[in-house]
Amino acid sequence: AHASCDASTCARTAGARPLDAAAEATLTTLLADLPRQYDGDLDWSIYAPDIVFDDPVTLLRGRLSYRGMLLTLRLLAAVATTSADFEVRSADRVAADVLRTMSGVDYFHLDEGGRVARHESQWDEPPAAVWAAVRGKRVE
């Protein structure tokens, strides 16, 4: 797996102001962590204690809740997939060995200290299609 940008390119692409050292370190860590989020532990020091996570089916607050949600996703990925390639988009092989592409965009908002304060995930597919893919079923 590979990242589609480095820390300075991602900042320029988003049209954001130049990154300070803390924000640059957080972005560099995110780019290293995301490709392996289903295989290993993340660097939790870059997340604010009261981080908010929001996707089409989940809204939660707090680092412990966020970590629990990611661990649950890791378990689901281990049970429901045989491989995962994570970039901006991911292609997962589901249990039925049917290639299913689930795509979307994740936004990571940083606080003044450069830590991730909010993680928003938007999916290109409706939630029912995503859950069906996790369960190894095809939704047309």
Side-chain angles (χ1 to χ4, degrees), residues 98 100 125-133 135-140:
V98 175
R100 171 75 178 156
E125 292 84 13
V130 173
W131 286 118
R135 292 190 317 272
K137 299 179 181 177
R138 193 182 281 276
V139 173
E140 302 300 329

Side-chain angles (χ1 to χ4, degrees), residues 77-95:
V79 170
T81 64
T82 57
S83 69
D85 179 22
F86 216 85
E87 198 178 330
V88 173
R89 307 205 181 264
S90 69
D92 297 329
R93 246 184 225 292
V94 295

